[in-house]
């Protein structure tokens, strides 16, 4: 081999080694140079797998635990030719990015949406506040909202005489990773369940595997055909907002229990502290004059009996009207609706609260809606709007 051949071979090896350092999904991308420059600036890794390109997760030097739930936002309406080199500089302005996942198509363009996980929950909330409707390109506004990693399944078609322990045992026989089963008593007969349950799994992956296994036609429980889908998670309310709430949500009341009885029971600790009570079938909202009185009543009455029924008392969750406006847009088929089509991410919604505050049922979306309309509608909103019962039913 001549010196010239040796030099050429070394150059070839060097070029091969250099290209080998370029991650899969980045190598050959139309903006490869920009992506490499981004990685060099931030120190984050980037790799493409399973139809998504992942930036970070964890970030360089990360030593803490995985970010808690509520740290991730969904980003929709992304122009198909916008990539991490444009997105990261925008989203890192409100907090430290733990991971950004951009959904990719086979043609190398993005699919119009991404998920950005921050290191802290307050950073994600700031992203929703400040970056929703951000103009990423002239006339092109991003849609940013909170996303929820769902670990809970809805299962319908359960025999109504089955108790929680029996349902838990049966579900644990056929699926793995079961943490809890939530069952609600019938409004008319507290000895019966309402024909459905919510099953909490240890992870989204465990829930997804269980959902696949329990799909109609594949398995029966107690010899019955069952219905299975993702449960609608609770609405995520800012902690600062929740600290101002002075309305209690009371569940599992007897149908015949009156508003006067509820007012007397919840006002026993401080006469005059209850402003008003609104009861709808077997649940109620109790309005207090102060938060202190509401919290005191909740702590003393949750788990106690009223007219033979065990009460479940929590602070009511107010609706963020701006968030709900985005939710409605998704219901009408806007670009953000793609998020609802992804099985692990659905829009947060508490239909009880929405109905109470006057939102129409027909604007609600979610995998369990039709089932509740068919089987568990229990009343009518004062404005004539039907009430839909979700996981709290």
């Amino acid at each position: 081999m001549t010196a010239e051949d040796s030099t050429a071979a070394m150059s070839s090896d060097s070029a091969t080694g250099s290209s080998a350092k370029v991650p899969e999904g980045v190598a050959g991308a139309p903006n490869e140079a920009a992506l490499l420059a981004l990685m060099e600036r931030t120190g984050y890794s980037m790799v493409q797998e399973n139809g998504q390109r992942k930036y970070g997760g964890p970030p360089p030097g990360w030593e803490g635990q995985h970010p808690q739930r509520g740290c991730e936002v969904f980003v929709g309406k992304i122009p198909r030719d916008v990539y991490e080199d444009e997105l990261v500089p925008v989203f890192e302005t409100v907090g430290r990015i733990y991971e950004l996942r951009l959904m990719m198509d086979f043609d190398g363009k993005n699919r119009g949406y991404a998920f950005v996980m921050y290191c802290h929950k307050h950073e994600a909330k700031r992203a929703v506040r400040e970056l929703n409707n951000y103009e990423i390109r002239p006339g092109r506004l991003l849609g940013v909202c909170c996303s929820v990693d769902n670990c809970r399944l809805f299962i319908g078609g359960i025999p109504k005489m089955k108790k929680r322990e029996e349902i838990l045992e049966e579900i644990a026989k056929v699926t793995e990773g079961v943490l809890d089963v939530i069952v609600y008593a019938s409004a008319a007969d507290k000895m019966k369940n309402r024909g459905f349950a919510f099953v909490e799994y240890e992870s989204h992956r465990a829930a997804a595997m269980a959902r696949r296994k329990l799909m109609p036609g594949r398995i029966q429980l107690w010899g019955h055909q069952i219905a299975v889908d993702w449960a609608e998670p609770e609405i995520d309310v800012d902690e600062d907002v929740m600290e101002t709430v002075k309305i209690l949500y009371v569940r599992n009341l007897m149908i015949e229990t009156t508003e006067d009885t509820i007012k007397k029971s919840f006002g026993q600790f401080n006469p005059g502290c209850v402003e008003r009570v609104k009861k709808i079938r077997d649940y109620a909202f109790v309005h207090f004059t102060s938060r202190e009185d509401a919290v005191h009543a909740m702590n003393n009455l949750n788990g106690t009996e009223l007219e033979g029924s065990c009460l479940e008392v929590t602070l009511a969750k107010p609706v963020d009207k701006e968030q709900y406006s985005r939710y409605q847009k998704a219901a009408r088929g806007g670009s953000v609706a793609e998020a609802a089509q992804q099985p692990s991410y659905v829009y947060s919604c508490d239909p009880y609260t929405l109905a109470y505050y006057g939102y129409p049922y027909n604007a609600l979306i979610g995998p369990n809606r039709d089932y509740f309309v068919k089987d568990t509608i229990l009343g009518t909103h004062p404005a004539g709007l039907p009430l839909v019962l979700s996981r709290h039913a």
Side-chain angles (χ1 to χ4, degrees), residues 70 115 122 131 136 148 166 172 196 203 215 223 279 294 312 348-349 352 387:
F115 296 94
H122 68 86
L131 299 179
I136 191 75
V148 180
E166 297 176 276
F196 62 87
S203 67
M215 289 299 285
K279 181 174 185 282
E312 292 183 21
S348 303
C349 175
Y352 267 140
L387 295 176

Side-chain angles (χ1 to χ4, degrees), residues 126-172:
R126 185 181 172 193
V128 173
R129 234 177 16 248
E130 298 183 16
L131 299 179
N132 184 46
N133 291 325
Y134 178 86
E135 190 171 24
I136 191 75
R137 291 272 179 85
R140 303 296 299 274
L141 307 181
L142 297 178
V144 182
C145 60
C146 291
S147 66
V148 180
D149 191 357
N150 205 350
C151 299
R152 184 173 290 193
L153 294 182
F154 160 85
I155 298 180
I158 293 176
K160 293 189 175 182
M161 294 306 297
K162 297 295 180 183
K163 304 299 182 186
R164 176 189 172 276
E165 292 73 19
E166 297 176 276
I167 299 171
L168 177 60
E169 181 182 3
E170 189 73 8
I171 297 294

Side-chain angles (χ1 to χ4, degrees), residues 317-336:
K317 294 189 174 182
V319 176
D320 182 331
K321 294 193 176 183
E322 183 179 342
Q323 178 183 350
Y324 189 73
S325 176
R326 292 195 295 272
Y327 186 90
Q328 286 181 308
K329 289 178 183 176
R332 292 194 293 267
S335 300
V336 181

Side-chain angles (χ1 to χ4, degrees), residues 242 245-249 291 294-295 298 313-317:
M242 285 304 297
V245 172
K246 53 183 181 178
I247 303 173
L248 295 183
Y249 168 56
R291 176 179 172 80
V295 172
M298 175 179 69
V313 187
T314 60
L315 289 167
K317 294 189 174 182

Side-chain angles (χ1 to χ4, degrees), residues 25-36 48 53 80-85 104-110:
V26 175
N31 63 334
E32 178 182 333
L35 295 178
L36 290 174
Q48 184 166 326
R53 194 157 60 202
R80 299 286 303 282
D81 58 348
V82 166
Y83 301 99
E84 294 89 344
D85 56 299
M104 301 296 292
D105 254 335
F106 294 109
D107 62 3
K109 293 184 177 180
N110 76 65

Side-chain angles (χ1 to χ4, degrees), residues 92-241:
E92 68 183 1
T93 61
V94 297
R96 188 184 184 195
I97 296 174
Y98 179 87
E99 174 184 275
L100 185 152
R101 295 182 293 117
L102 181 63
M103 304 301 133
M104 301 296 292
D105 254 335
F106 294 109
D107 62 3
K109 293 184 177 180
N110 76 65
R111 295 174 61 188
Y113 65 99
F115 296 94
V116 182
M117 180 177 291
Y118 287 93
C119 296
H120 303 286
K121 197 171 183 178
H122 68 86
E123 296 169 327
K125 292 184 179 299
R126 185 181 172 193
V128 173
R129 234 177 16 248
E130 298 183 16
L131 299 179
N132 184 46
N133 291 325
Y134 178 86
E135 190 171 24
I136 191 75
R137 291 272 179 85
R140 303 296 299 274
L141 307 181
L142 297 178
V144 182
C145 60
C146 291
S147 66
V148 180
D149 191 357
N150 205 350
C151 299
R152 184 173 290 193
L153 294 182
F154 160 85
I155 298 180
I158 293 176
K160 293 189 175 182
M161 294 306 297
K162 297 295 180 183
K163 304 299 182 186
R164 176 189 172 276
E165 292 73 19
E166 297 176 276
I167 299 171
L168 177 60
E169 181 182 3
E170 189 73 8
I171 297 294
K173 283 181 184 177
V174 295
T175 64
E176 297 179 357
V178 178
L179 291 181
D180 193 18
V181 171
I182 301 166
V183 184
Y184 296 122
S186 166
D189 185 349
K190 299 300 180 183
M191 297 302 293
K192 296 180 180 180
N193 69 64
R194 292 188 175 176
F196 62 87
F198 296 95
V199 184
E200 187 82 23
Y201 287 86
E202 62 185 14
S203 67
H204 169 69
R205 176 175 174 77
M209 296 296 289
R211 179 176 177 270
R212 184 179 301 176
K213 190 171 184 179
L214 295 171
M215 289 299 285
R218 294 190 178 182
I219 199 169
Q220 291 187 338
L221 299 180
W222 305 284
H224 290 259
Q225 187 69 50
I226 58 170
V228 60
D229 215 324
W230 293 102
E232 296 176 37
E234 290 179 292
I235 193 167
D236 185 28
V237 180
D238 190 279
E239 293 174 4
D240 292 339
V241 174

Side-chain angles (χ1 to χ4, degrees), residues 2 14 22 49 57 73 82 89 91 103 116 123 137 139 237 262 280-282 285-286 303 305 365-366 379 386 392:
T2 66
S14 177
V22 180
E49 58 185 6
V73 298
V82 166
F91 284 89
M103 304 301 133
V116 182
E123 296 169 327
R137 291 272 179 85
V237 180
I262 298 168
I280 307 171
R281 191 66 171 179
D282 66 339
F285 291 90
V286 184
E305 282 197 4
I365 59 174
H392 302 298

